[in-house]
Amino acid sequence: MRRIGLLALAGVVLLVAPASGATAGETASPGRPRVLVLTLPDTTWSSFLAIPDGSVRSVAEQSAVASLAVRTADPVDTDVSAYLTLGAGRRATSADPEVAGSARQEADGSVTSTDLAAQAELNARGRYGATAGALGTARAASDRRPAVVGDAGPPGTTEQRAVALATADGSGTTPVGRVDGLVVAEPLAPGGSRLDEDAVVAATGDALESADLVVVELSDVRRAVEAGSDVTAVASATERTDRLVGRLVELATPSDTVLLVSPTTPGEVRQLGVCALRGPGVVPGWAQSATTRRAGYVALEDVAATLLGTLGVPVPDTVGDTPVSSVEGTPVGARLAALARASERAEARDRAVGPVAVALVLLAILSGLVAVVLLRIGRDASATHRWLACTTCAVPVAAFLTGWWPGAAAGPTTITVVVLVGASVVGAVSVALTERTVPPSATLVPEGLTGGVQRDAGGAGGRG
């Protein structure tokens, strides 16, 4: 009986010891959901879909996928404003990105973003009401531990570690992480350095043991883009990144959620980035959110609410409550091809924004001058003058509709011409429809068309 009693006591000790010997959050609790976020700076869907049988393609085939709007509160997006946006759940701005992106490794295994307080103060005055560190703060309040792994800077420096801004709490601290020792010098690599893939994999595996949200930045493509590398070097960096994605995804279990997201896209012209969400309850197909209201399109500010919701953490008022959801879509091949086309069209349209805006301003000035002259001489507007006014009003909707045009990837000049021709046709139709009834109401036609298209776009799914 004494032996049986001792064995029973030992069994009780073994069962209780792990729970009583660990501090709160020291290890990821069994049964709690975990999320692995892989950030892919300066990439688009076209970057990875050019790789046959690639890891990103494989993950996408099992995921709800979308084109990601990477817009922040800055005129020119930076990695700092992007990660601040990701962690705030609202569009964020940044000042002095070189300083703001610094982070240091602490002796206790945590990571400190050294300039978060200044960024928080800046965004508190911003028009979008972004609260820097909102994601990390919400998780800390719910006894959840985030982790960060990443370093985009040269070896031996604390710069270009903006990824830590995504997981930091209000004090700038991420409880678990590794930002040191992830980059090795390599003279032949763009910028003279690259990620140590084995170190990244090891650090991510360690983080998944003690945290239930792990954000990992894969920064080799960013190095290649910043170094002004040629297409071959960028493609090589993309292939390395794709292989690393495969190794990291293997660390996740079937019950884990995996999110691929590109917080920035290459070049100064905004493009559409990558978003792929895989995990329990996610239907392979299109990803969507309340921000865009379109299947196949989500926004960077949707990420925070998505992560909190997946982890069962209440979304605070400071974070936009627009989580990403999934709906069934077209076959895999068609979805991925549509995403690549959408990115190309978005880039072409953004390049055309300047010329189209100039044309719109000139038309508006001309319409205003004609109206002033007519008032001065006491004459009513002729059909030609009404056509000019209607054409001016139709430019915005014509520009928006280029997203449905198969040739939307054409150059800025072609797009501008198409927009002006389309607007002039709308103007002519507007005048023709109202000429025999109430001629002065002609401009209501393009205005009504604009409103109708906007409502239709809100419910449209998957159209580039």
Side-chain angles (χ1 to χ4, degrees):
M1 291 296 294
R2 183 180 298 173
R3 290 179 179 176
I4 293 174
L6 290 172
L7 289 172
L9 179 61
V12 171
V13 170
L14 288 173
L15 288 173
V16 174
S20 60
T23 59
E26 215 170 55
T27 58
S29 301
R32 274 187 173 182
R34 297 191 309 180
V35 183
L36 174 61
V37 181
L38 304 182
T39 71
L40 312 168
D42 289 359
T43 61
T44 64
W45 280 111
S46 297
S47 306
F48 295 104
L49 298 184
I51 304 173
D53 303 319
S55 298
V56 171
R57 180 189 290 269
S58 177
V59 173
E61 290 174 351
Q62 308 164 44
S63 303
V65 296
S67 295
L68 179 72
V70 297
R71 195 176 298 273
T72 68
D74 286 341
V76 177
D77 304 314
T78 65
D79 59 333
V80 172
S81 59
Y83 283 118
L84 283 170
T85 297
L86 194 155
R90 297 185 188 276
R91 292 187 193 178
T93 185
S94 63
D96 198 353
E98 290 186 7
V99 174
S102 297
R104 65 173 180 265
Q105 186 79 55
E106 305 292 0
D108 62 358
S110 64
V111 174
T112 300
S113 295
T114 57
D115 198 48
L116 183 74
Q119 303 305 312
E121 182 179 351
L122 175 67
N123 280 280
R125 304 191 302 266
R127 59 175 176 163
Y128 291 103
T131 301
L135 173 62
T137 300
R139 289 179 48 71
S142 64
D143 188 30
R144 299 298 183 93
R145 281 160 58 98
V148 63
V149 177
D151 186 359
T157 70
T158 62
E159 300 172 357
Q160 299 183 42
R161 294 172 172 176
V163 63
L165 294 167
T167 54
D169 61 17
S171 67
T173 301
T174 301
V176 179
R178 184 172 172 188
V179 292
D180 281 351
L182 299 177
V183 180
V184 294
E186 184 170 307
L188 297 180
S193 61
R194 64 169 177 80
L195 284 176
D196 183 334
E197 297 180 21
D198 292 337
V200 172
V201 172
T204 303
D206 291 343
L208 285 168
E209 291 295 323
S210 59
D212 41 24
L213 168 61
V214 180
V215 178
V216 185
E217 181 184 52
L218 308 184
S219 53
D220 279 345
V221 176
R222 182 170 182 263
R223 286 187 182 81
V225 172
E226 285 199 335
S229 304
D230 59 22
V231 175
T232 302
V234 173
S236 177
T238 304
E239 290 176 1
R240 287 200 308 273
T241 299
D242 188 83
R243 288 195 301 269
L244 186 51
V245 167
R247 295 181 63 183
L248 294 173
V249 168
E250 288 179 356
L251 300 175
T253 68
S255 61
D256 293 335
T257 297
V258 175
L259 174 64
L260 305 185
V261 60
S262 54
T264 57
T265 53
E268 295 184 359
V269 176
R270 286 187 176 112
Q271 302 180 51
L272 292 173
V274 172
C275 180
L277 181 65
R278 189 194 78 179
V282 177
V283 178
W286 293 116
Q288 62 181 7
S289 77
T291 301
T292 62
R293 298 184 298 160
R294 295 182 65 188
Y297 294 86
V298 299
L300 187 60
E301 59 260 41
D302 301 329
V303 173
T306 305
L307 298 178
L308 292 173
T310 302
L311 295 167
V313 178
V315 178
D317 293 339
T318 55
V319 173
D321 194 5
T322 56
V324 173
S325 60
S326 60
V327 293
E328 292 185 3
T330 54
V332 171
R335 284 202 305 274
L336 300 184
L339 292 171
R341 288 196 303 271
S343 179
E344 293 169 359
R345 290 179 178 181
E347 180 183 7
R349 287 197 302 271
D350 276 354
R351 291 186 184 279
V353 165
V356 171
V358 170
L360 176 59
V361 169
L362 292 176
L363 283 172
I365 292 173
L366 181 59
S367 298
L369 291 175
V370 169
V372 169
V373 171
L374 291 175
L375 287 173
R376 292 293 298 271
I377 64 177
R379 291 184 55 186
D380 293 332
S382 67
T384 301
H385 301 144
R386 287 194 293 276
W387 167 81
L388 179 60
C390 291
T391 297
T392 303
C393 293
V395 168
V397 70
F400 181 83
L401 289 174
T402 58
W404 277 259
W405 177 46
T413 301
T414 302
I415 293 178
T416 303
V417 171
V418 170
V419 167
L420 294 178
V421 170
S424 65
V425 170
V426 172
V429 171
S430 303
V431 173
L433 290 175
T434 58
E435 189 67 17
R436 294 184 178 182
T437 53
V438 187
S441 67
T443 55
L444 295 178
V445 176
E447 291 168 1
L449 179 61
T450 300
V453 168
Q454 287 178 335
R455 284 193 296 271
D456 179 67
R463 286 189 282 186

